[in-house]
Amino acid sequence: MMTTDSQIEHSGNELHGRYAMALGEGYEAELTYVWRGEVMVINHTGVPKAFEGQGIALKLVKRVIEDARSGGFLIEPQCPYVALQFRRHPDWNDLQA
């Protein structure tokens, strides 16, 4: 199963990218986005059914939040899950486009 020190990998270019976390046994969770100017538009998060309810998607979102703070960009949460997390974390409001 998942360990708490799971590595989140980020890959992307000036158009789009993804954050992914290997979960073992060939499974992975992902968060995908596209760039619209200086705004990261998050359009999808996905976690395999066998791994749902463990906070994995939230870990991906929190990594994006860290990157937005250090990288100085805004986030548009088009993905319903990410939009929900923004509502639950008012301290992220300064990062929402």
Side-chain angles (χ1 to χ4, degrees):
M1 278 303 208
M2 189 189 79
T3 60
T4 54
D5 61 342
S6 295
Q7 187 73 19
I8 296 174
E9 302 215 357
H10 177 222
S11 59
N13 57 35
E14 66 278 355
L15 300 176
H16 55 81
R18 73 192 287 261
Y19 290 80
M21 180 188 295
L23 302 173
E25 301 175 33
Y27 291 103
E28 72 175 7
E30 71 170 0
L31 178 151
T32 61
Y33 64 88
V34 295
W35 286 108
R36 191 173 64 231
E38 297 295 311
V39 176
M40 176 188 278
V41 180
I42 300 175
N43 51 26
H44 168 76
T45 54
V47 176
K49 285 226 177 286
F51 295 90
E52 288 179 353
Q54 299 180 33
I56 296 169
L58 183 57
K59 286 182 182 183
L60 293 171
V61 176
K62 285 183 174 180
R63 167 66 189 276
V64 173
I65 294 298
E66 289 174 18
D67 288 357
R69 291 219 185 278
S70 64
F73 59 85
L74 296 177
I75 297 168
E76 181 180 323
Q78 283 187 351
C79 167
Y81 176 81
V82 179
L84 172 66
Q85 292 305 323
F86 264 85
R87 288 193 298 277
R88 288 181 176 170
H89 295 86
D91 54 312
W92 297 352
N93 286 349
D94 61 312
L95 296 174
Q96 188 165 352

